């Protein structure tokens, strides 16, 4: 059972194996190479490690198996659910899941300090969208490309940790950068929060699809080095863990507000008109709820609540990325 005390412990832990790989890369090749290597890690089209160092090839080989709780039938259900609801999920991810992550004040500091999202928001959103489409593509599981996809994210996280820890700006009182609690929270934002968003958009999701989606994201979490001990075994447990994390981490912060502002600017730029832009922003407020929207500094618009039910156009816009 996950408790606040257990989350406090896991807040001090990252991904030791991936961090050690990055340390070796820096020792052998230097920081310039690491920055170039991060471009490869962000590319989910080129999944070949053939031209990479033997250390990286061995790391991929050692992390190319599924956990015991992997369930192929649930995977098929989850990927079918994503395919059938991609437009709505795109809307939810852009307007709900991502800003939901920014509510974690200490975790948002990593994203803010790295400047990856703050300074090039559209590109980072595209990376996130490409990752989502890759892990929700059943063919990538059948071909086992899923292992390279997730390993790239592990190494990218480790690279960001390296730069964060060596920046001399990080305070360990905030926890270890990209720690287990924050990785778990992000996993829930892509699984539980998506399902919750579907409910808020008045879509009924069968319990079997809920369980399948949570299970599949648990497998993805495992491949991203989230410790199985803290992952939810069911939808209801996911709700409880999400509540614990929110109580521990969610608060108003300058970093969270600026990351959200950058996100909203990009979201609004998709819109063909000011009315559609306001509709997108209002949808975000509705999905997050008044309390969280205020914490993130998302301003009210003149869009009436009745109009929020008409979201198909905006969901198509968001699905271009997600």
């Amino acid at each position: 059972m996950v408790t606040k005390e257990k989350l406090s412990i896991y807040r001090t832990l990252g991904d030791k194996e991936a961090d050690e790989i990055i340390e070796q890369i820096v020792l052998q090749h230097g920081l310039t190479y690491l920055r170039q290597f991060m471009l490869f890690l962000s590319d989910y089209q080129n999944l070949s490690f053939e031209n990479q160092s033997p250390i990286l090839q061995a790391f991929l080989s050692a992390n190319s198996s599924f956990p015991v709780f992997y369930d192929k039938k649930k995977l098929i259900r989850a990927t079918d659910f994503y395919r059938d609801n991609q437009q709505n999920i795109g809307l939810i991810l852009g307007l709900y899941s991502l800003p939901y992550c920014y509510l974690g004040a200490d975790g948002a500091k990593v994203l803010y300090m790295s400047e990856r999202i703050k300074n090039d928001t559209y590109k980072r959103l595209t990376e996130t969208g490409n990752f989502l489409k890759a892990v929700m593509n059943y063919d990538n599981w059948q071909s086992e490309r899923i292992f390279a996809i997730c390993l790239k994210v592990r190494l990218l996280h480790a690279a960001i940790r390296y730069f964060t820890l060596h920046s001399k700006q990080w305070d360990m009182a905030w926890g270890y950068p990209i720690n287990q609690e924050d990785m778990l929270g992000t996993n829930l934002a892509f699984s539980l929060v998506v399902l919750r968003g579907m409910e808020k958009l008045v879509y009924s999701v069968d319990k079997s699809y809920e369980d399948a989606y949570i299970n599949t994201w648990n497998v993805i979490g495992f491949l991203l080095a989230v410790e199985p001990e803290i992952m939810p075994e069911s939808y209801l447990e996911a709700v409880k863990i999400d509540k614990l994390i929110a109580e521990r981490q969610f608060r108003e912060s300058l970093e969270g507000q600026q990351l959200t502002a950058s996100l909203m600017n990009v979201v609004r730029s998709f819109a063909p008109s000011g009315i559609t832009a306001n509709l997108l922003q209002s949808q975000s407020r509705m999905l997050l709820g008044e309390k969280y929207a205020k914490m993130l500094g998302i301003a009210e618009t003149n869009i009436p609540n009745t109009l929020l039910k008409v979201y198909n156009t905006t969901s198509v816009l968001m699905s271009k990325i997600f």
Side-chain angles (χ1 to χ4, degrees):
M1 177 176 162
V2 177
T3 62
K4 289 184 178 180
E5 292 73 24
K6 184 171 288 187
L7 288 175
S8 293
I9 294 171
Y10 279 96
R11 188 154 197 85
T12 66
L13 305 175
D15 179 358
K16 185 178 179 181
E17 290 184 2
D19 291 344
E20 288 176 349
I21 293 290
I22 294 299
E23 290 275 0
Q24 291 181 57
I25 287 175
V26 173
L27 285 173
Q28 293 180 12
H29 304 287
L31 290 176
T32 300
Y33 177 88
L34 179 58
R35 290 190 178 93
Q36 288 298 119
F37 183 55
M38 289 174 73
L39 298 176
F40 166 72
L41 297 177
S42 302
D43 182 357
Y44 302 113
Q45 298 299 316
N46 177 13
L47 299 175
S48 174
F49 277 72
E50 288 183 2
N51 296 325
Q52 302 301 325
S53 71
I55 294 173
L56 290 167
Q57 293 180 29
F59 189 48
L60 175 60
S61 178
N63 290 277
S64 292
S65 59
F66 294 121
V68 293
F69 51 84
Y70 165 72
D71 187 318
K72 186 175 181 179
K73 290 182 179 179
K74 288 182 178 180
L75 169 67
I76 293 172
R77 272 187 170 275
T79 52
D80 284 350
F81 175 77
Y82 172 78
R83 185 193 62 233
D84 294 342
N85 296 280
Q86 186 172 347
Q87 290 185 3
N88 290 323
I89 290 174
L91 176 79
I92 292 164
L93 282 164
L95 302 183
Y96 188 11
S97 297
L98 291 180
Y100 195 82
C101 292
Y102 304 156
L103 287 162
D106 291 337
K109 286 179 170 61
V110 181
L111 298 172
Y112 186 84
M113 288 171 60
S114 73
E115 299 189 342
R116 283 171 56 79
I117 292 180
K118 184 179 64 172
N119 291 346
D120 201 350
T121 309
Y122 179 77
K123 184 176 181 180
R124 302 313 166 197
L125 284 178
T126 302
E127 286 177 9
T128 303
N130 289 339
F131 167 73
L132 176 69
K133 290 172 182 176
V135 298
M136 285 288 103
N137 183 338
Y138 180 71
D139 289 344
N140 286 333
W141 295 75
Q142 282 287 85
S143 65
E144 298 192 346
R145 288 191 295 266
I146 189 68
F147 298 122
I149 292 166
C150 290
L151 192 81
K152 279 192 165 195
V153 176
R154 282 186 67 180
L155 291 168
L156 184 61
H157 285 170
I160 294 171
R161 280 194 207 95
Y162 182 91
F163 283 116
T164 302
L165 290 170
H166 288 78
S167 69
K168 298 183 179 180
Q169 299 179 54
W170 188 256
D171 188 339
M172 281 299 183
W174 302 329
Y176 200 74
I178 314 183
N179 58 70
Q180 287 288 321
E181 182 180 25
D182 287 344
M183 288 195 291
L184 174 62
T186 301
N187 188 281
L188 291 174
F190 278 73
S191 55
L192 172 68
V193 173
V194 165
L195 297 171
R196 185 186 292 155
M198 292 290 288
E199 294 172 5
K200 289 191 175 189
L201 295 177
V202 201
Y203 280 87
S204 178
V205 181
D206 187 271
K207 186 179 183 300
S208 64
Y209 282 104
E210 287 182 343
D211 289 342
Y213 213 65
I214 294 294
N215 177 266
T216 295
W217 274 96
N218 279 349
V219 176
I220 295 169
F222 174 87
L223 296 177
L224 296 179
V226 179
E227 291 292 336
E229 183 185 11
I230 57 174
M231 288 192 283
E233 294 183 3
S234 66
Y235 180 89
L236 290 178
E237 189 175 353
V239 171
K240 293 177 182 178
I241 296 172
D242 173 67
K243 184 178 179 182
L244 285 177
I245 294 174
E247 290 172 353
R248 284 172 43 79
Q249 300 299 327
F250 286 13
R251 61 183 183 276
E252 184 176 313
S253 71
L254 173 65
E255 293 85 0
Q257 289 181 351
Q258 292 202 6
L259 289 167
T260 303
S262 296
L263 173 64
M264 283 297 119
N265 285 338
V266 171
V267 166
R268 291 181 65 88
S269 73
F270 295 157
S273 68
I275 293 176
T276 308
N278 285 340
L279 178 58
L280 284 164
Q281 189 164 312
S282 294
Q283 282 285 12
S284 185
R285 286 182 57 85
M286 182 276 290
L287 289 164
L288 286 160
E290 187 71 13
K291 176 183 175 181
Y292 288 159
K294 283 185 176 180
M295 286 169 64
L296 293 170
I298 303 175
E300 293 186 51
T301 71
N302 58 359
I303 298 294
N305 289 336
T306 52
L307 190 56
L308 291 181
K309 295 179 181 179
V310 185
Y311 61 87
N312 288 334
T313 300
T314 57
S315 66
V316 169
L317 291 171
M318 296 305 295
S319 69
K320 290 181 180 179
I321 289 183
F322 299 106

